[in-house]
Amino acid sequence: QVYLVESGGGSVQPGGSLSLSCAVSGRDVSRGCMGWFRQAPGKEREWVANILNGGSPHYNNSVKGRFTISQDSAENTLHLQMNSLKPEDTAKYYCAAGWGWCPDKTDYNDWGQGTQVTVSS
C-alpha cells in the first residue's frame, strides 16, 4: 500500500515562502513520476510540477522560477519549495505518484490528502 502524506501548508502574505513536504511510504520516491498538483475551489485540479525517475524536474509555467520540486532519497520524501507566493497560488496542494511520463493527472495512481496554502494580505 502506498501512502502519501503532505505537510507544510499554511497562510502567508504575498511574496512570502512556504515549503511543502510529502512523506512517501510503500514506494521509492526516486522511481516513477512524483508530482505536485493544486486545486482551488471551483477549479480543476492543476499540475504544478513533477520529477521523473529522480531526474530533471518540470514545472507549470505559472510557477516556473518560483517553485522548486525536489526529493530527499534518505527520507523518501518529496518537497516543494514555494517562493514569491502570489494570491493566485492559493489552493489545496496534493502530492501524487505514478509511473512513466505521467503527463496527465489521471496517470497518477496514488494521492495524498492535500495541504492548504493560502496567500493573502
Side-chain angles (χ1 to χ4, degrees):
Q1 181 68 46
V2 176
Y3 293 99
L4 308 174
V5 182
E6 303 95 334
S7 62
S11 297
V12 66
Q13 293 183 341
S17 298
L18 284 173
S19 182
L20 306 184
S21 297
C22 173
V24 180
S25 62
R27 64 175 288 160
D28 192 334
V29 71
S30 65
R31 296 274 292 175
C33 52
M34 299 293 301
W36 288 98
F37 291 77
R38 64 188 182 186
Q39 187 169 25
K43 295 185 177 181
E44 186 178 354
R45 190 166 297 187
E46 175 188 44
W47 171 71
V48 174
N50 65 7
I51 184 166
L52 276 62
N53 295 316
S56 59
H58 300 86
Y59 301 94
N60 188 303
N61 285 335
S62 66
V63 306
K64 191 175 296 182
R66 300 187 298 120
F67 291 11
T68 302
I69 186 173
S70 63
Q71 58 189 347
D72 186 333
S73 296
E75 300 293 332
N76 208 43
T77 302
L78 187 73
H79 299 278
L80 185 69
Q81 177 65 46
M82 306 184 295
N83 299 324
S84 301
L85 283 162
K86 305 174 180 179
E88 50 263 46
D89 295 318
T90 296
K92 194 168 186 178
Y93 283 71
Y94 297 87
C95 176
W99 299 104
W101 185 34
C102 299
D104 187 83
K105 60 180 177 290
T106 61
D107 297 314
Y108 292 82
N109 306 110
D110 299 288
W111 295 81
Q113 82 289 347
T115 184
Q116 180 67 38
V117 171
T118 302
V119 185
S120 66
S121 58

